[in-house]
Amino acid sequence: MLPQGLEPTCRSRVIGRHLPILIIPLTAMGVLFGLWDRLNTWDIVTHPFLVLQKTFEYFSHPIGFLNWLVYTAVLFILYYGTFYLWNQKRP
């Protein structure tokens, strides 16, 4: 039970359910950039056209797109699997 005034509103529940659908694919792309292309977080600011070029390369080549799909699927499974296991009723 949360203290009065801290109950989640309907809008925050909707955002909480749908935000991972946006964030997880972006996270998968960031993991791919970091692992395979050796890009870092600040490269978005220092080399934005390189980041856009790499993004288009991933989505234009079937293997790159498949890699992104696999990473995205694994992150979804980890996120929702953990969410499901955490919210199970305990004896």
Side-chain angles (χ1 to χ4, degrees), residues 26-46:
L26 292 174
T27 303
M29 184 59 69
V31 169
L32 279 172
F33 284 163
L35 287 176
W36 300 109
D37 296 316
R38 306 307 297 163
L39 296 177
N40 294 303
T41 306
W42 55 83
D43 286 327
I44 292 175
V45 175
T46 59

Side-chain angles (χ1 to χ4, degrees), residues 24 69-79:
I24 290 174
L69 281 178
V70 168
Y71 276 71
T72 302
V74 167
L75 288 176
F76 269 115
I77 290 168
L78 286 173
Y79 178 79

Side-chain angles (χ1 to χ4, degrees), residues 12 18 68 70-71:
S12 67
H18 292 92
W68 175 75
V70 168
Y71 276 71

Side-chain angles (χ1 to χ4, degrees), residues 55-62 65:
T55 303
F56 288 129
E57 285 178 12
Y58 272 106
F59 288 113
S60 63
H61 296 294
F65 184 71

